[in-house]
Coordinates of all heavy atoms in Angstrom, one line a residue:
Q1 N 0.8 -1.2 0.0 CA 0.0 0.0 0.0 C 0.9 1.3 0.0 O 0.4 2.3 -0.6 CB -0.9 0.0 1.2 CG -2.0 -1.1 1.1 CD -2.6 -1.4 2.4 OE1 -2.1 -1.1 3.4 NE2 -3.6 -2.3 2.4
I2 N 2.0 1.2 0.7 CA 2.9 2.3 0.6 C 3.4 2.6 -0.8 O 3.5 3.6 -1.3 CB 4.1 2.1 1.6 CG1 3.6 2.1 3.0 CG2 5.1 3.2 1.4 CD1 4.7 1.7 4.0
D3 N 3.7 1.5 -1.5 CA 4.2 1.5 -2.9 C 3.2 2.0 -3.8 O 3.5 2.6 -4.9 CB 4.8 0.2 -3.3 CG 5.5 0.3 -4.6 OD1 6.2 1.3 -4.8 OD2 5.4 -0.8 -5.3
R4 N 1.9 1.7 -3.6 CA 0.9 2.1 -4.5 C 0.3 3.5 -4.3 O -0.8 3.8 -4.6 CB -0.3 1.1 -4.3 CG 0.1 -0.4 -4.8 CD -1.1 -1.2 -4.7 NE -0.7 -2.5 -5.0 CZ -1.5 -3.6 -4.8 NH1 -2.6 -3.5 -4.3 NH2 -1.0 -4.8 -5.1
G5 N 1.2 4.4 -3.9 CA 0.8 5.8 -3.8 C 0.3 6.3 -5.1 O -0.6 7.2 -5.0
R6 N 1.0 5.9 -6.1 CA 0.5 6.5 -7.4 C 0.1 5.3 -8.2 O 0.6 4.3 -8.2 CB 1.7 7.1 -8.1 CG 2.2 8.4 -7.5 CD 3.5 9.0 -8.0 NE 4.6 8.0 -7.9 CZ 5.6 8.0 -8.7 NH1 5.8 8.9 -9.6 NH2 6.5 7.1 -8.5
G7 N -0.8 5.5 -9.2 CA -1.3 4.5 -10.0 C -0.4 4.3 -11.2 O 0.5 5.1 -11.5
S8 N -0.7 3.2 -11.9 CA 0.2 2.9 -13.1 C 0.0 4.0 -14.2 O 1.0 4.3 -14.8 CB -0.3 1.5 -13.6 OG -0.1 0.5 -12.7
I9 N -1.1 4.5 -14.4 CA -1.4 5.5 -15.4 C -0.5 6.8 -15.0 O 0.1 7.4 -15.9 CB -2.9 5.8 -15.6 CG1 -3.5 4.5 -15.9 CG2 -3.1 7.0 -16.4 CD1 -4.7 4.5 -16.6
Q10 N -0.6 7.1 -13.7 CA 0.2 8.3 -13.4 C 1.7 8.1 -13.6 O 2.4 9.0 -14.1 CB 0.0 8.7 -11.9 CG -1.4 9.2 -11.7 CD -1.7 9.3 -10.2 OE1 -1.0 8.6 -9.3 NE2 -2.5 10.3 -9.8
I11 N 2.2 6.9 -13.3 CA 3.6 6.6 -13.5 C 3.9 6.6 -15.0 O 5.0 7.2 -15.4 CB 4.0 5.3 -12.9 CG1 3.9 5.4 -11.4 CG2 5.4 4.8 -13.2 CD1 4.0 4.0 -10.6
L12 N 3.0 6.0 -15.8 CA 3.2 6.0 -17.2 C 3.2 7.4 -17.8 O 4.1 7.8 -18.6 CB 2.2 5.2 -17.9 CG 2.3 5.1 -19.5 CD1 3.7 4.4 -19.8 CD2 1.2 4.3 -20.0
Q13 N 2.4 8.3 -17.3 CA 2.4 9.7 -17.8 C 3.7 10.4 -17.4 O 4.2 11.2 -18.1 CB 1.2 10.5 -17.2 CG -0.2 10.1 -17.7 CD -1.4 10.7 -17.1 OE1 -1.2 11.1 -16.0 NE2 -2.5 10.5 -17.7
E14 N 4.1 10.1 -16.1 CA 5.4 10.7 -15.8 C 6.6 10.3 -16.6 O 7.4 11.0 -17.0 CB 5.7 10.5 -14.3 CG 4.8 11.2 -13.3 CD 5.0 10.8 -11.9 OE1 6.0 9.9 -11.6 OE2 4.1 11.3 -11.0
L15 N 6.5 9.0 -16.9 CA 7.6 8.5 -17.8 C 7.5 9.1 -19.3 O 8.5 9.4 -19.8 CB 7.5 7.0 -18.0 CG 8.0 6.2 -16.7 CD1 7.6 4.7 -16.9 CD2 9.5 6.4 -16.5
L16 N 6.3 9.3 -19.7 CA 6.1 9.9 -21.1 C 6.7 11.3 -21.1 O 7.4 11.8 -22.0 CB 4.7 9.8 -21.5 CG 4.2 8.5 -21.9 CD1 2.7 8.5 -22.2 CD2 4.9 7.9 -23.1
V17 N 6.4 12.1 -20.0 CA 6.9 13.4 -19.8 C 8.4 13.5 -19.8 O 9.1 14.3 -20.4 CB 6.3 14.1 -18.6 CG1 6.9 15.5 -18.3 CG2 4.8 14.4 -18.9
A18 N 8.9 12.5 -19.0 CA 10.4 12.5 -18.8 C 11.1 12.0 -20.1 O 12.1 12.6 -20.4 CB 10.7 11.4 -17.7
K19 N 10.4 11.2 -20.9 CA 10.9 10.9 -22.2 C 11.0 12.0 -23.2 O 11.9 12.3 -23.9 CB 10.2 9.6 -22.8 CG 10.7 9.2 -24.2 CD 9.8 8.1 -24.8 CE 10.2 7.8 -26.1 NZ 9.9 8.8 -27.1
R20 N 9.9 12.7 -23.1 CA 9.8 13.9 -24.0 C 10.9 14.9 -23.7 O 11.5 15.5 -24.5 CB 8.4 14.5 -23.9 CG 8.2 15.7 -24.8 CD 6.9 16.5 -24.5 NE 7.1 17.2 -23.3 CZ 6.1 17.4 -22.4 NH1 4.9 17.0 -22.7 NH2 6.4 18.0 -21.3
D21 N 11.0 15.2 -22.4 CA 12.1 16.1 -21.9 C 13.5 15.6 -22.3 O 14.3 16.3 -22.7 CB 12.0 16.3 -20.4 CG 10.7 17.1 -20.0 OD1 10.1 17.6 -20.9 OD2 10.4 17.0 -18.8
Q22 N 13.7 14.2 -22.2 CA 15.0 13.7 -22.5 C 15.3 13.8 -24.0 O 16.4 13.9 -24.4 CB 15.1 12.3 -22.0 CG 16.5 11.7 -21.9 CD 17.4 12.5 -21.0 OE1 17.0 13.0 -20.0 NE2 18.7 12.6 -21.4
D23 N 14.2 13.6 -24.8 CA 14.2 13.9 -26.3 C 14.9 15.3 -26.5 O 15.7 15.4 -27.4 CB 12.9 13.7 -27.0 CG 12.6 12.3 -27.2 OD1 13.5 11.4 -27.4 OD2 11.4 12.0 -27.4
L24 N 14.3 16.2 -25.8 CA 14.8 17.6 -26.0 C 16.3 17.7 -25.6 O 17.1 18.4 -26.2 CB 14.0 18.6 -25.2 CG 12.5 18.7 -25.7 CD1 11.7 19.6 -24.7 CD2 12.5 19.3 -27.1
V25 N 16.6 17.0 -24.5 CA 18.0 17.1 -24.0 C 18.9 16.4 -25.0 O 20.0 17.0 -25.3 CB 18.2 16.4 -22.7 CG1 19.6 16.2 -22.3 CG2 17.4 17.2 -21.6
V26 N 18.5 15.4 -25.7 CA 19.4 14.7 -26.7 C 19.5 15.6 -27.9 O 20.6 15.7 -28.5 CB 18.7 13.3 -27.1 CG1 19.4 12.8 -28.3 CG2 18.8 12.3 -26.0
K27 N 18.4 16.2 -28.3 CA 18.5 17.1 -29.5 C 19.5 18.3 -29.2 O 20.3 18.7 -30.0 CB 17.1 17.7 -29.8 CG 16.2 16.6 -30.5 CD 14.8 17.1 -30.8 CE 14.0 16.0 -31.3 NZ 12.6 16.5 -31.5
V28 N 19.4 18.9 -28.0 CA 20.3 19.9 -27.6 C 21.7 19.4 -27.6 O 22.7 20.1 -28.1 CB 19.9 20.6 -26.3 CG1 21.0 21.5 -25.7 CG2 18.6 21.3 -26.4
A29 N 21.9 18.3 -27.0 CA 23.3 17.7 -27.0 C 23.8 17.4 -28.4 O 25.0 17.6 -28.7 CB 23.3 16.4 -26.1
E30 N 23.0 16.9 -29.3 CA 23.4 16.7 -30.7 C 23.7 18.0 -31.4 O 24.8 18.1 -32.1 CB 22.3 15.9 -31.5 CG 22.2 14.5 -31.0 CD 21.0 13.8 -31.7 OE1 20.2 14.5 -32.2 OE2 20.9 12.6 -31.6
T31 N 22.9 19.0 -31.2 CA 23.2 20.3 -31.8 C 24.5 20.9 -31.2 O 25.3 21.4 -32.0 CB 22.0 21.3 -31.4 OG1 20.8 20.7 -31.9 CG2 22.2 22.6 -32.1
E32 N 24.7 20.7 -29.9 CA 26.0 21.2 -29.3 C 27.2 20.5 -29.9 O 28.3 21.1 -30.2 CB 25.9 21.0 -27.8 CG 27.1 21.5 -27.0 CD 27.1 21.3 -25.6 OE1 26.1 20.8 -25.1 OE2 28.2 21.5 -24.9
W33 N 27.0 19.1 -30.1 CA 28.1 18.3 -30.6 C 28.4 18.8 -32.1 O 29.6 18.9 -32.5 CB 27.8 16.9 -30.6 CG 28.8 16.0 -31.3 CD1 28.6 15.3 -32.4 CD2 30.2 16.0 -31.1 NE1 29.8 14.7 -32.8 CE2 30.8 15.2 -32.0 CE3 31.1 16.6 -30.1 CZ2 32.2 14.9 -32.1 CZ3 32.5 16.3 -30.1 CH2 33.0 15.4 -31.1
E34 N 27.4 19.0 -32.9 CA 27.6 19.5 -34.2 C 28.3 20.9 -34.3 O 29.3 21.0 -35.1 CB 26.3 19.6 -35.0 CG 25.6 18.2 -35.3 CD 24.2 18.4 -35.8 OE1 23.7 19.6 -36.0 OE2 23.6 17.3 -36.0
S35 N 27.9 21.7 -33.3 CA 28.6 23.0 -33.2 C 30.1 22.8 -32.8 O 31.0 23.5 -33.4 CB 27.9 23.8 -32.2 OG 28.6 25.0 -32.0
V36 N 30.3 22.0 -31.8 CA 31.7 21.8 -31.4 C 32.5 21.1 -32.5 O 33.7 21.5 -32.7 CB 31.7 20.9 -30.1 CG1 33.0 20.3 -29.8 CG2 31.1 21.7 -28.9
N37 N 31.9 20.2 -33.2 CA 32.6 19.5 -34.3 C 33.0 20.5 -35.4 O 34.1 20.5 -35.9 CB 31.7 18.4 -34.9 CG 32.5 17.4 -35.8 OD1 33.7 17.4 -35.7 ND2 31.8 16.7 -36.6
Q38 N 32.0 21.5 -35.7 CA 32.3 22.5 -36.7 C 33.5 23.4 -36.2 O 34.3 23.7 -37.0 CB 31.0 23.3 -37.0 CG 31.2 24.3 -38.0 CD 31.5 23.8 -39.4 OE1 31.0 22.7 -39.7 NE2 32.2 24.5 -40.2
R39 N 33.4 23.8 -35.0 CA 34.5 24.6 -34.4 C 35.8 23.9 -34.4 O 36.8 24.5 -34.6 CB 34.1 25.1 -33.0 CG 32.9 26.1 -33.0 CD 32.5 26.6 -31.6 NE 33.6 27.2 -30.9 CZ 33.7 27.3 -29.6 NH1 32.7 26.8 -28.9 NH2 34.7 27.8 -29.1
L40 N 35.8 22.5 -34.2 CA 37.0 21.8 -34.2 C 37.6 21.8 -35.6 O 38.8 21.9 -35.8 CB 36.7 20.4 -33.7 CG 37.9 19.4 -33.6 CD1 38.9 19.9 -32.6 CD2 37.5 18.0 -33.4
K41 N 36.7 21.6 -36.6 CA 37.2 21.6 -38.0 C 37.7 23.0 -38.4 O 38.7 23.1 -39.2 CB 36.0 21.2 -39.0 CG 35.7 19.8 -38.9 CD 34.5 19.6 -39.8 CE 34.0 18.1 -39.7 NZ 32.9 17.8 -40.6
E42 N 37.1 24.1 -37.8 CA 37.6 25.4 -38.1 C 38.9 25.7 -37.3 O 39.7 26.6 -37.7 CB 36.6 26.4 -37.7 CG 35.4 26.4 -38.5 CD 34.2 27.3 -37.9 OE1 34.5 27.9 -36.8 OE2 33.1 27.4 -38.5
G43 N 39.1 25.0 -36.3 CA 40.4 25.2 -35.5 C 40.2 26.2 -34.4 O 41.3 26.7 -33.8

C-alpha cells in the first residue's frame, strides 16, 4: 500500500513526460556536438 501511492497511469504519464524532456536534451546535445565539431574543423 505504501508503494501504490501512485497509479500505473500516473507513473506512465510521468515516464512519457520524462521521455519527451529527455528527447529535447538529446537534441540539444546533438546540436551542441555539431557546433563543437564544426568549431574543431575550423580550428
Side-chain angles (χ1 to χ4, degrees):
Q1 292 159 350
I2 292 170
D3 188 37
R4 292 184 185 168
R6 297 177 294 161
S8 299
I9 300 208
Q10 291 172 332
I11 294 172
L12 183 61
Q13 288 173 345
E14 289 175 6
L15 284 173
L16 290 172
V17 169
K19 181 186 173 286
R20 185 189 68 211
D21 292 344
Q22 195 63 31
D23 276 333
L24 294 173
V25 170
V26 168
K27 288 178 185 176
V28 168
E30 287 172 348
T31 305
E32 180 183 357
W33 171 243
E34 290 171 4
S35 171
V36 166
N37 196 16
Q38 182 64 31
R39 289 178 59 200
L40 181 64
K41 288 178 183 176
E42 293 169 356

